């Protein structure tokens, strides 16, 4: 379609401010952005819609327009809602770069313009999918009358015989047509997509798994609800959705590629709607966090929790138990390993934590309704409500004694499912794709508190989760987690022992035994581990190792002779125990 045609549609509310001589340019797509440099998301031929949030002063206009013109953008439409009127400096910059510029009335939603353009472009290039945009309104709704992204994906299947799925960055299925994508396959596809994105290559990316080729299209979150970015891919790579299509797009004609890009834009509208809905939960978490950190009275915190509970767990009727989860994403500089990159990790950790805390078996874009995550500095902090814990039918709620769990709980004699979060389980299903997205310069660490059932316990839970995260940070690996149970034993101390001290300590105690085992196959290390596990019991240890007690006494004597230690002394037993744990 031509730019001129947009002015003929009164409902779009567009007013031409400059560039009348260029109105015969063809529009091939539309993009909404408030990024200062959106070039990596542009392929040429787009009409760019912007709310001007990127503009701080007049000097920002010319660089922004220069980037658009260099990327082949055909026009710019600026909303009047942010500043009241399109600034003259922006109009002048567009005149210099021969870029047509329009004003969008504050009462007109960008989604309406997007819908109109995608309808026209898709209709011209693929009439068999014109109904996709005709049903765009349904993408904006939820429930039985809506259908969300499934509407678009169903039409891809019926009209173009393309099977497609919308996946989160961890591989969880958000939407799909037909049979669900198996969990391991979704995880693998997300990992391939993140790895390819980190190389800087533009999508779609191709991935062949078990003999089947998939084309992976990024779904950029660049609407008004997007987190502002400065141009570093690491700020968005771990939060963007992707569209996985079971087909090889390498040989597709430009028209079909453009059509799929239009589909990703429609799905991005759903993403923007979902993020807008999350702002309420984020605000609740931020308010509670600020009260807790400021040392507010428990009654004040409890009152805020009473507001949060029905939002996060509708219909519960009583404030639940709570857990706190703390996450941090750290990036190192590419040209200076070991030094911080300057890329903000707080918003990335916030988006990641909102995804990680969703049950991987649950699909759909609204499955994170019970997750409230705030971020302060480089940390993301989640406030997670839990139903009554097993056996806690008469436990306490956030504002005092709780009521009975009710008939919905387990029956007599049935084991109660533990609803509490566990650190290792949180990351088990997402470690592979996240490691691909973190690549060689990123790291995710996570700590989980114990469950608490009162406002008084939240301050301790927050500190507990933070300390557990520091324990996780002391471990090797790109994705690490630690839980509250690890703060109650020697495990708390071990990660903070410097590496050179660890090596010296374990070498002094265990190397003589390892050398002896290599020469004589005496299994002294195995004997030592079993002896300590049996609390020094000769009979139990001999039975476990299938040895005569005299043989066991000989081996223990050899261990003492080689190391100069006495395994009847508690101090020496403890030293051996720690050395084995650190080795």
């Amino acid at each position: 379609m031509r730019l001129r045609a947009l002015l003929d549609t009164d409902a779009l509310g567009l007013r031409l401010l400059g560039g009348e001589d260029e109105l015969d340019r063809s529009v091939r797509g539309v993009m909404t952005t408030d990024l200062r440099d959106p070039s990596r998301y542009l392929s040429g031929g787009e009409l760019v819609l912007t709310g001007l949030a990127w503009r701080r002063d007049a000097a920002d206009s010319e660089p922004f327009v220069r980037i658009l013109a260099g990327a082949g953008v055909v026009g710019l439409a600026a909303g009047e809602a942010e500043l009241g009127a399109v600034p003259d400096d922006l109009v002048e910059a567009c005149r210099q770069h021969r870029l047509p510029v329009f004003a969008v009335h504050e009462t007109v939603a960008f989604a309406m313009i997007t819908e109109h353009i995608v309808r026209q472009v898709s209709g011209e290039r693929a009439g068999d999918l014109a109904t996709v945009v005709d049903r765009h309104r349904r993408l904006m709704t939820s429930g039985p009358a809506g259908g969300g992204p499934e509407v678009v994906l169903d039409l891809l299947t019926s009209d173009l015989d393309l099977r497609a799925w919308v996946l989160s960055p961890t591989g969880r299925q958000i939407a799909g047509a037909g049979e669900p994508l198996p969990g391991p396959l979704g995880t693998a596809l997300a990992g391939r997509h993140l790895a390819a994105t980190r190389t800087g290559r533009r999508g779609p990316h191709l991935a062949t798994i078990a003999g089947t080729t998939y084309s992976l299209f990024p779904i950029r979150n660049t609407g008004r609800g997007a987190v502002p970015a400065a141009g570093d891919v690491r700020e968005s790579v771990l939060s963007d959705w992707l569209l996985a299509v079971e087909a090889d797009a390498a040989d597709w004609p430009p028209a079909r590629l453009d059509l799929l890009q239009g589909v990703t834009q429609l799905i991005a509208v759903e993403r923007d709607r979902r993020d807008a809905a999350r702002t309420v939960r984020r605000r609740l978490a931020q308010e509670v966090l600020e009260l807790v950190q400021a040392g507010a009275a428990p009654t004040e915190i409890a009152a805020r929790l009473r507001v949060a509970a029905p939002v996060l767990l509708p219909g519960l009727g009583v404030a639940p138990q709570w857990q706190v989860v703390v996450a941090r994403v750290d990036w190192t500089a590419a040209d200076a390993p070991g030094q911080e990159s300057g890329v903000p990790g707080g918003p990335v950790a916030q988006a990641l934590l909102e995804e990680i805390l969703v049950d991987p078996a649950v699909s759909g874009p609204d499955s994170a309704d019970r997750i409230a995550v705030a971020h302060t500095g480089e940390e993301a902090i989640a406030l997670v409500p839990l139903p009554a814990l097993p056996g806690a039918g008469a436990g306490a709620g956030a504002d005092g004694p709780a009521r009975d769990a009710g008939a919905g709980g387990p029956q007599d004699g049935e084991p109660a499912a533990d609803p509490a979060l566990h650190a290792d389980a949180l990351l088990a299903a997402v470690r592979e794709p996240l490691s691909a997205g973190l690549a060689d310069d990123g790291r995710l660490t996570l700590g989980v508190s114990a469950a608490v059932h009162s406002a008084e316990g939240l301050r301790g839970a927050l500190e507990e989760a933070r300390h557990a995260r520091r324990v996780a940070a002391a471990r090797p690996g790109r994705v690490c987690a630690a839980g509250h149970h690890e703060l109650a034993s020697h495990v708390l101390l071990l990660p903070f022992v410097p590496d050179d001290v660890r090596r010296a300590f374990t070498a002094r105690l265990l190397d003589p035994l390892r050398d002896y085992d290599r020469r004589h196959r005496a299994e002294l290390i195995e004997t030592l581990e079993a002896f300590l596990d049996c609390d020094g019991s000769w009979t139990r240890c001999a039975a476990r190792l299938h040895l005569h007690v005299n043989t066991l006494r000989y081996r223990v004597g050899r261990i003492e002779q080689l190391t100069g230690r006495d395994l009847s002394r508690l101090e020496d037993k403890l030293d051996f125990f720690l050395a084995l744990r650190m080795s």
Side-chain angles (χ1 to χ4, degrees):
M1 66 177 297
R2 306 287 183 182
L3 275 177
R4 191 181 304 279
L6 296 176
L7 293 174
D8 298 333
T9 308
D10 294 337
L12 298 183
L14 294 177
R15 189 173 76 257
L16 182 66
L17 301 180
E20 184 174 359
D21 295 337
E22 306 293 331
L23 291 181
D24 286 327
R25 294 181 178 184
S26 295
V27 181
R28 298 174 58 241
V30 61
M31 175 189 175
T32 300
T33 185
D34 278 319
L35 303 179
R36 296 172 67 84
D37 180 6
S39 58
R40 68 179 183 272
Y41 303 130
L42 298 169
S43 57
E46 297 94 348
L47 173 70
V48 168
L49 309 177
T50 180
L52 300 176
W54 50 267
R55 183 184 179 276
R56 298 169 187 162
D57 54 43
D60 291 335
S61 293
E62 196 280 333
F64 179 76
V65 174
R66 182 176 357 109
I67 288 170
L68 299 187
V73 168
V74 298
L76 174 66
E80 295 180 321
E82 183 77 14
L83 301 179
V86 178
D88 291 339
D89 49 87
L90 180 61
V91 177
E92 174 59 22
C94 289
R95 185 193 65 78
Q96 293 176 12
H97 291 278
R98 302 180 62 84
L99 187 69
V101 58
F102 305 85
V104 182
H105 194 271
E106 63 181 4
T107 60
V108 177
F110 285 178
M112 181 182 296
I113 300 174
T114 299
E115 177 184 353
H116 177 81
I117 293 175
V118 174
R119 179 189 294 118
Q120 298 301 318
V121 172
S122 298
E124 293 172 4
R125 293 177 178 161
D128 57 350
L129 272 182
T131 50
V132 170
V133 287
D134 288 337
R135 295 167 71 180
H136 174 249
R137 295 290 181 190
R138 297 184 65 183
L139 191 64
M140 303 290 291
T141 62
S142 59
E150 281 85 357
V151 173
V152 179
L153 302 184
D154 284 341
L155 289 170
L156 284 177
T157 300
S158 61
D159 292 7
L160 292 184
D161 197 25
L162 293 175
R163 298 178 61 202
W165 303 266
V166 178
L167 304 178
S168 77
T170 65
R172 181 177 61 87
Q173 181 173 316
I174 294 167
E179 290 294 321
L181 198 66
L185 178 55
T187 299
L189 290 175
R192 300 282 186 91
H193 173 73
L194 291 173
T197 302
R198 286 303 311 274
T199 66
R201 301 199 309 270
R202 283 192 175 186
H205 309 300
L206 298 181
T208 301
I209 298 177
T212 301
T213 299
Y214 300 85
S215 298
L216 310 177
F217 294 80
I219 299 173
R220 306 295 188 187
N221 183 23
T222 55
R224 295 182 181 184
V227 177
D232 195 312
V233 68
R234 291 176 291 185
E235 296 183 42
S236 61
V237 65
L238 294 175
S239 58
D240 284 339
W241 289 357
L242 69 134
L243 176 67
V245 181
E246 189 180 303
D248 187 344
D251 297 324
W252 280 3
R256 178 166 286 202
L257 283 173
D258 289 345
L259 177 64
L260 265 293
Q261 296 291 356
V263 169
T264 65
Q265 291 174 1
L266 292 180
I267 296 172
V269 175
E270 168 66 19
R271 172 67 188 270
D272 196 35
R273 184 198 66 78
R274 194 283 308 262
D275 281 351
R278 278 189 173 180
T279 57
V280 175
R281 299 191 295 275
R282 288 178 172 180
R283 185 161 54 248
L284 283 172
Q286 193 71 42
E287 290 173 356
V288 173
L289 176 63
E290 290 173 358
L291 290 174
V292 170
Q293 294 192 129
T299 53
E300 187 177 357
I301 299 173
R304 178 51 52 187
L305 291 179
R306 282 197 297 271
V307 174
V311 174
L312 301 178
L313 285 181
L316 187 66
V318 62
Q321 313 266 348
W322 301 90
Q323 270 183 288
V324 176
V325 183
V326 174
R328 181 179 174 116
V329 173
D330 294 290
W331 303 102
T332 57
D335 54 350
Q339 296 185 17
E340 295 183 1
S341 66
V343 177
V348 179
Q350 182 180 39
L352 258 186
L353 199 49
E354 286 171 333
E355 173 62 28
I356 290 171
L357 292 174
V358 178
D359 184 345
V362 176
S363 63
D366 297 317
S367 54
D369 283 348
R370 62 188 290 266
I371 310 301
V373 184
H375 81 81
T376 172
E378 296 301 298
E379 277 186 340
I381 301 170
L383 186 67
V384 183
L386 301 172
L389 294 176
D399 55 345
R403 304 168 200 166
D404 289 341
Q411 302 300 315
D412 292 342
E414 293 182 2
D418 183 0
L421 301 173
H422 299 278
D424 290 338
L426 284 177
L427 295 180
V430 301
R431 183 174 273 108
E432 177 185 344
L434 293 186
S435 295
L438 292 164
D440 295 328
D441 55 354
R443 201 155 182 258
L444 167 67
T445 52
L446 184 145
V448 181
S449 79
V452 296
H453 50 70
S454 66
E456 292 91 335
L458 277 181
R459 179 64 179 266
L462 175 59
E463 292 307 316
E464 188 174 59
R466 280 176 166 161
H467 201 74
R469 191 207 64 79
R470 288 193 288 270
V471 171
R475 296 171 175 168
R478 289 287 161 201
V479 180
C480 297
H484 60 90
H485 62 282
E486 299 184 60
L487 306 184
S489 73
H490 64 279
V491 178
L492 172 64
L493 304 175
L494 296 185
F496 300 100
V497 178
D499 289 342
D500 54 347
V501 176
R502 286 181 184 227
R503 286 191 292 269
F505 182 72
T506 56
R508 184 168 62 253
L509 278 178
L510 301 183
D511 279 2
L513 306 182
R514 292 182 177 128
D515 291 341
Y516 191 87
D517 281 347
R518 278 195 296 269
R519 292 195 309 269
H520 303 284
R521 298 184 180 179
E523 299 180 348
L524 295 185
I525 292 290
E526 180 184 354
T527 301
L528 176 62
E529 290 176 334
F531 187 72
L532 295 175
D533 284 345
C534 294
D535 298 323
S537 169
W538 297 98
T539 53
R540 282 195 289 126
C541 183
R544 175 184 293 190
L545 296 174
H546 306 289
L547 298 174
H548 192 278
V549 172
N550 289 340
T551 304
L552 175 61
R553 291 186 183 275
Y554 172 80
R555 288 189 181 180
V556 170
R558 179 62 69 183
I559 292 171
E560 293 174 334
Q561 179 185 13
L562 291 170
T563 60
R565 298 300 185 105
D566 183 353
L567 278 169
S568 66
R569 298 177 67 248
L570 177 61
E571 295 88 347
D572 288 343
K573 286 180 181 177
L574 181 59
D575 283 349
F576 277 122
F577 179 76
L578 293 175
L580 289 169
R581 291 302 300 265
M582 288 192 293
S583 62

